[in-house]
Amino acid sequence: MRRVYKIIIMGLILFSSKMLYGKEYAREEYHLPFIILLKDPSVLEELSLSEEQKEKIKDIHFSNEKAAEEIKSKIRIKEIELRKILFEKKPDIKTVENKIKEIGELNTDLRILKMRKFFQIKEVLTEEQWEKFKEIVSQRPFLRERIKRRFKD
């Protein structure tokens, strides 16, 4: 029976470490990688943004960055709590499942935050600037490939 518990625990550790620390989770590139282009001065120049638009976009970046960091810190705390539970003598599977669900909800919150950021920035751009931005994104093959890979899964 102890051997079965050890196997279950090792499986959970491997699964949770892949899930929690895999490159696709809680990283900027997972959530709309092309938004990062709007921090690039050359792209901002290419879009011919007004000073007011640049300021609005900068404010959106900063306010969202703060909120994202708060969520990421909550995720790190939950991950620590999960590791503690996994290394208990007899971890409760329901507690482990609940902790993983909590982490998943926080990751969802983070992704929603990034989507809201995207829509906030899109509202700042004019129709012409938005079309130009889409053109810039399409000319960046490394971004296209990352976007395609994300939507394949």
Side-chain angles (χ1 to χ4, degrees):
M1 189 61 142
R2 289 183 72 136
R3 183 175 168 91
V4 172
Y5 276 121
K6 284 182 182 179
I7 291 170
I8 291 171
I9 290 172
M10 289 306 291
L12 284 171
I13 291 170
L14 289 172
F15 170 75
S16 64
S17 64
K18 167 81 171 125
M19 187 181 95
L20 298 175
Y21 302 110
K23 71 177 184 175
E24 56 271 311
Y25 289 92
R27 284 188 39 192
E28 185 75 25
E29 68 180 287
Y30 182 58
H31 309 282
L32 304 171
F34 48 89
I35 286 181
I36 198 101
L37 287 174
L38 288 169
K39 290 182 180 180
D40 182 342
S42 66
V43 172
L44 297 178
E45 187 68 33
E46 215 174 318
L47 292 174
S48 304
L49 297 176
S50 69
E51 286 304 314
E52 182 182 344
Q53 286 176 308
K54 288 178 187 176
E55 201 58 37
K56 282 181 182 178
I57 289 173
K58 188 169 74 174
D59 288 344
I60 291 168
H61 281 305
F62 282 128
S63 66
N64 279 275
E65 187 176 354
K66 181 182 175 195
E69 286 304 317
E70 288 172 2
I71 294 171
K72 288 176 187 178
S73 71
K74 288 178 184 177
I75 290 171
R76 286 189 292 273
I77 290 167
K78 296 290 181 190
E79 289 171 346
I80 292 167
E81 292 170 355
L82 176 61
R83 283 196 310 272
K84 182 179 182 236
I85 294 167
L86 288 173
F87 285 103
E88 289 175 355
K89 193 167 188 146
K90 289 187 178 183
D92 178 47
I93 188 70
K94 285 291 180 199
T95 307
V96 170
E97 288 173 358
N98 289 336
K99 195 59 66 178
I100 290 172
K101 286 177 184 176
E102 289 173 20
I103 293 167
E105 287 172 14
L106 288 167
N107 277 315
T108 300
D109 292 345
L110 186 61
R111 192 163 192 186
I112 289 169
L113 179 71
K114 303 279 177 155
M115 287 300 298
R116 285 187 179 145
K117 175 182 177 180
F118 168 76
F119 286 113
Q120 288 172 334
I121 290 172
K122 187 177 178 190
E123 286 179 21
V124 172
L125 302 176
T126 65
E127 293 272 336
E128 296 80 26
Q129 289 168 331
W130 176 245
E131 291 304 316
K132 180 68 177 171
F133 181 67
K134 289 192 312 189
E135 185 181 313
I136 291 168
V137 169
S138 70
Q139 293 170 354
R140 304 287 203 281
F142 67 96
L143 285 174
R144 270 199 325 267
E145 290 308 311
R146 284 201 305 201
I147 292 166
K148 282 181 188 175
R149 277 184 292 187
R150 295 296 175 215
F151 287 107
K152 269 186 184 175
D153 299 335

